Amino acid sequence: MSSTKVIYALYNDDDVLMDAVKQTRKAHHHIEEVFTPFPVHGLDKAMGLAPTRLAICAFIYGCIGISVATWMMWNIMINDWPQDIGGKPSFSYLQNMPAFVPVMFEMTVFFAAHLMVITFYMRSRLWPFKKAENPDVRTTDDHFLMEVSVSGDEEAMIAFFKNTGAVEVKVIEKH
């Protein structure tokens, strides 16, 4: 099993972190991950991450939800067991459509929301009982950690990250 060295640069301000990420990218160092106690607006763009495609998944899941709702209501209320409810005709789906709109909306939201959560967990590899990968517990409270692969002169990289405003810089052997 090969091991590589990474630098953990710890910051105590999100604005300093954003500047450090931009400087690190400009210096062509590879940022493995950034750990933050709260979402930092614009960090994904500063890191150069590709835009998320979760919105496309949400649209597809919503389409699946409205399709299931439409099929379910037609099958239950028109085809399988038509009933006279409030004098409404039960032989046509289109004539009953206004009564079905709330169910179609709720099923669209239900499918989109639940399948999005499942997709997010699978994409993020967040399985039940998974061991936490957080390298420093302070990142859950008030600090920000940038994990960068060591390439080239290790001492020069440590000095670089101290100059970016890091309050602590550590070199770790990662397996």
Side-chain angles (χ1 to χ4, degrees):
M1 188 182 269
S2 67
S3 61
T4 58
K5 288 185 177 182
V6 293
I7 290 180
Y8 287 164
L10 199 66
Y11 299 88
N12 59 4
D13 185 14
D14 57 335
D15 293 327
V16 175
L17 171 75
M18 283 293 287
D19 291 337
V21 166
K22 291 173 185 173
Q23 290 176 33
T24 304
R25 291 264 330 240
K26 191 181 281 186
H28 301 292
H29 296 301
H30 178 67
I31 300 172
E32 294 287 334
E33 188 64 75
V34 176
F35 298 89
T36 64
F38 54 83
V40 178
H41 181 69
L43 184 60
D44 53 343
K45 287 185 180 170
M47 289 177 63
L49 298 177
T52 181
R53 295 184 301 262
L54 283 176
I56 297 169
C57 291
F59 178 75
I60 292 169
Y61 298 152
C63 290
I64 291 170
I66 200 166
S67 299
V68 167
T70 303
W71 174 83
M72 180 185 73
M73 289 180 300
W74 175 82
N75 196 40
I76 293 170
M77 299 299 289
I78 305 300
N79 186 38
D80 186 39
W81 195 336
Q83 297 178 16
D84 183 7
I85 300 172
K88 293 183 181 182
S90 59
F91 55 86
S92 169
Y93 181 82
L94 289 177
Q95 288 177 329
N96 288 311
M97 179 79 105
F100 294 157
V101 168
V103 176
M104 292 172 11
F105 172 76
E106 292 298 332
M107 288 291 281
T108 301
V109 172
F110 178 85
F111 270 70
H114 286 79
L115 292 175
M116 283 293 294
V117 168
I118 292 168
T119 301
F120 174 75
Y121 283 147
M122 288 175 57
R123 182 70 178 95
S124 300
R125 293 182 177 90
L126 294 174
W127 316 116
F129 311 110
K130 181 181 180 190
K131 185 177 179 262
E133 295 177 4
N134 193 356
D136 193 322
V137 295
R138 293 176 285 182
T139 60
T140 62
D141 188 22
D142 61 351
H143 281 73
F144 306 85
L145 186 136
M146 181 169 34
E147 181 180 315
V148 181
S149 299
V150 174
S151 59
D153 185 16
E154 185 177 310
E155 294 301 321
M157 286 185 75
I158 292 171
F160 171 79
F161 286 108
K162 286 186 178 175
N163 288 335
T164 62
V167 294
E168 186 178 311
V169 179
K170 291 191 275 187
V171 178
I172 305 293
E173 192 82 25
K174 204 169 184 184
H175 301 281

